[in-house]
Amino acid sequence: MRYEIRVEGHMSETLTRAFPELDHVVMSGQTVLYGSVVDEAHLYGLLARCQSLGLRVMEMRQLPE
Amino acid sequence: MAGLEESGPEASSPRADPQGDPFLRTRFAVPTRPATFLRRERLVNHLDQALLTPLTMVNGAAGAGKTLLVADWAAGRDRPVAWLTTDAADQGCGMFWAYLLQALRSSGVPLPAEIGFPADASRVDHTLLARLAADLSARDRPVIVVLDEYDRVTDPEIAEQLEFVLHHAGRGMRLILVTRTEPLLPLHRYRAAGDMTEIRAAELAFTSEEAAALLELHGLRVPVPAARALVERTRGWAAGLRLCALAAQESPDPETYLKEFEADRTTVADFLLAEVLKRQTPETQDLLLRVSVLERFCPELANALTERTDAEPILAGLHRGNAFVEHLGHAWYRLHPLFGEILHAHLRVRSPLLEPELHRRAAEWLRRCGSLVETLGHGVAAGDWEFTAGALVDDLAIGQLFTGLRSDDLAELFSRMGPEAKSPATDLVRAARELSRCRLDRGLTHLRRAEQSLAEERPTADGAPGLAAAQLSCALLEALAARLAGSPGRAKTAAQTAEKLQEEVPTHLLDEHPELTALLMTHLGSTWLWAGRFEDARAALTTAAGCSGGASTALPREESLGHLALIDYLNGWLGRAERKALAAMTETARFGLPRASGSGIWLLVLAAVAVDRNELGQAQTLLDAAADSHGAMRDPVAAAGRAIATGRLLLARGKTRAALEAAEPAVAADVVSPWAEGHTALVASAAHLAEGRPETAAKLLQAVPDDQVACAVEAARAQLAAGRPVAAIDLLDSARPVGRTGPAVTVRASLVRAEAADRSGDSATSRRLVAQALHEARRERLRRPFLEAGPWIRPLLSTGPLRGLAAGWLTPVPSPHGGPPRLEDQLPAPVVEELSGRERDVLQRLAQMMSTEEIAADLYVSVNTVKTHLKSVYRKLAVNRRHDAVRRARELRLL
């Protein structure tokens, strides 16, 4: 399954390395992380990682395959 | 229960956790507040409510200021607060509760010794929680417990147990959870009852006034409207504001800087951290990045990672300035959790290849100064298997791959080891993992390779302490391999080698690992037992059974007691066998070890005893239990034990063909086991006899080594059935039961003689012999021989004094209206043994439809203890289900 996670603010290149499994794009005050998510556990892990990095998650949704 | 724990070496408060490592004192330290900490009265006042509600939850994102708020509040209490920073590394319930109990003790809350403590890292006895709750509930003033970083507790079982203790401690406990995520507790129930104080993210957020006050503490004067903009930008996030202050402080024009920050659109922590980081000296930056691979660190460990010597002043300075690090007391620090993650990301960008090397250095430092578990963790993270396996073997901890305590964790850790890792230690670990799953051939391949490379290693000048430990580990694995192969010669050699090596290994290592000797002796004893050398086996097994060391030796103690029980059973002593088997069960039940780790030989013995007592349903239950839960250890003794119990049960049920099949030896072993062969022949012979083929039966037993009394008795029975009473008596006379033979054999012998006498018309002798057999069998409730004896015995049992001897345990108590009691009327069997007080307690609760768990909680005992009581209640009432037990108890007016 593919997901995108929208976080508030522009993430630095360094910080995006904390999500090596996801691609990212920066746009209008937000950063979108997107890519394949292995399973639910991975999904929750990504959310926890956002929290650990002090990121504010604005939106998360599954993408059509 | 309390008596058990008091008698152990663990009687007083323990200095080590269930894994044998010293407690990390830093986890009990209330974090110190930095000089720039801002006390916010509105939050402190709200937190005061925590004294009035059982549960308080402080809930907010990383860096929201939760921990410091509670730490500040706790420091202002007039009584001790038990503080525990939970740790993701120890997910086991046992570790959690061991640490929580220790947190209570180290905060000065006196706990009576009889509460005990968990011996196993992954389990906790329910009665311990009940005792803790009972103790807390009896207090006048509640004990305040803070669990910081509770979001790391992901095991729902821990949440359940915490809820249990909180509920039953009543007014005696006030629990404060500091957490990033909602805990797995039934919060709605607490909320609905008004039993909960909640401080959540919105409340933790800084107001503009508070932000201005915080910046002022950092020497920055900012008017409230400007502060409001900052609060908007950071959403009142404490960590953001703090970083902001730090960055502005070092900027030439703080005010402009703050304005720029407001306008910037990057993520707050990311931007600010990079800003603050780049203003540090290169040495400080380097240190911060490197320690980001560690959970916690002291200056020496940080120095080991940086290969410099300046960690102490740098860390002290960082802590003073409230940047990045928190002081945990005792010269240990940790990175602020939020910054730790970001620093880790920076490390990956700046020095992508450094990480494994840092883990390796940490592992090496920890191996010298820290715990084995942390060493192994970093060793694995470094991908250095030679090092990691070497640390395990040098520490003489290889036995822990078997003992069920840490075995799962260790197996998991080493499961990622690839074939490229080559050292004697990695081969030993591979051999141990294969042998623990009874893969003898694969295990031996690895073991032989390890032995070979160890033989080539020469002891170096400094004594090479690792070599002896590795060789001793080899000897242990060799003994296990010998046990699995049924090879007494190899087991003996291994034990002799081990004995010599034990003198070369440092004494403290042997003391720390009592499981090594216990396992070795169990393997040796099991192999002797297989070879039929009962006295040698008994000596080794008794040594193993007598080993101290609590949980670490529980499994070998269980196994050796189970083997001793088997010896008693084979010698015909049912009562003794049963007592030892139950003692074996108690050993592991006490520590809540996983059932699957042992061979479960005691269950097989209990099943065989139940067959001899004609408690066939019970026997089947026990056999099923053994098959379900004891897959791990498949050694020849266990296989033979299972064949005997199954074969005898099928015989008793009249399924002779199935019995013949079940009794066939299904094990390959280096030497022949006389008793295993004997019993196979015995079951086969009895099956043929039951199907009316006495000649075949007699022939089968001729091949058996002749010193087995049980076989001689069965052969005599076959001869008698074939119409050769003289030959039968001759057989019995020549195999005169020796002193060690118990009732299960002698009663059968007496009955053969009695039958012979009966046939020759000598009814007086026959009666005398049956009376003697009844006397002997009665105490053991040995019913099977009488049921197998054939129709001739029935008239004897229903008349005269013999009727009285048999009544009540073998035949029903005669009804007052007379009529001959029939042997077939066995069911329902009469109660032959009084119920104990505790069994009565359990039975009464059973009648009230309480579940096993409820009974356990009600009686303050463990679920396993209740199950044990239930088993003996079932046995004594001759039933298999709780419903039947209640019905039967009502019939007998026990309720």
Side-chain angles (χ1 to χ4, degrees), chain B residues 183-202:
Chain B
L184 295 161
L185 290 171
L187 297 179
H188 57 279
R189 214 187 297 155
Y190 285 92
R191 275 191 202 115
D195 280 345
M196 185 172 164
T197 306
E198 273 183 280
I199 298 181
R200 305 185 71 101

Side-chain angles (χ1 to χ4, degrees), chain B residues 623-838:
Chain B
L623 275 176
D624 292 346
D628 284 350
S629 55
H630 288 271
M633 186 59 84
R634 296 191 189 282
D635 61 350
V637 172
R642 164 170 301 277
I644 292 173
T646 313
R648 291 204 152 271
L649 176 60
L650 290 165
L651 264 186
R653 294 210 151 135
K655 297 177 182 165
T656 43
R657 195 149 308 155
L660 273 173
E661 266 169 44
E664 269 306 301
V667 265
D670 286 8
V671 302
V672 166
S673 170
W675 57 267
E677 283 228 321
H679 275 265
T680 307
L682 228 149
V683 171
S685 154
H688 286 296
L689 203 56
E691 293 197 335
R693 292 187 294 273
E695 296 297 345
T696 324
K699 218 170 279 164
L700 267 172
L701 286 162
Q702 276 164 10
V704 172
D706 54 3
D707 60 338
Q708 292 191 63
V709 188
C711 292
V713 173
E714 186 63 23
R717 206 159 76 89
Q719 292 293 354
L720 192 59
R724 291 190 290 270
V726 180
I729 299 298
D730 276 354
L731 271 171
L732 288 179
D733 284 346
S734 62
R736 195 159 273 291
V738 279
R740 62 175 194 184
T741 312
V745 178
T746 53
V747 164
R748 285 185 166 91
S750 298
L751 289 179
V752 175
R753 287 179 193 274
E755 189 183 352
D758 185 75
R759 286 196 183 189
S760 64
D762 184 355
S763 67
T765 308
S766 176
R767 266 174 204 288
R768 183 176 54 75
L769 287 164
V770 173
Q772 187 189 326
L774 282 169
H775 267 296
E776 273 189 79
R778 185 178 199 160
R779 216 172 333 129
E780 305 263 24
R781 304 198 307 287
L782 176 63
R783 304 189 181 95
R784 218 42 236 166
F786 298 93
L787 299 167
E788 285 162 3
W792 63 272
I793 202 168
R794 288 185 195 165
L796 290 182
L797 291 181
S798 54
T799 52
L802 295 187
R803 183 173 163 186
L805 272 176
W809 66 278
L810 183 59
T811 54
V813 182
S815 62
H817 303 297
R822 285 167 33 222
L823 215 51
E824 288 81 354
D825 289 346
Q826 281 267 331
L827 290 173
V831 176
V832 286
E833 225 179 303
E834 280 283 305
L835 295 183
S836 73
R838 214 50 169 165

Side-chain angles (χ1 to χ4, degrees), chain B residues 281 283-285 287-288 308 310-320 325:
Chain B
T281 64
E283 289 78 17
T284 306
Q285 290 188 34
L287 181 139
L288 283 170
R308 299 196 311 264
D310 54 1
E312 198 168 347
I314 291 181
L315 289 171
L318 284 171
H319 177 242
R320 236 189 343 267
V325 300

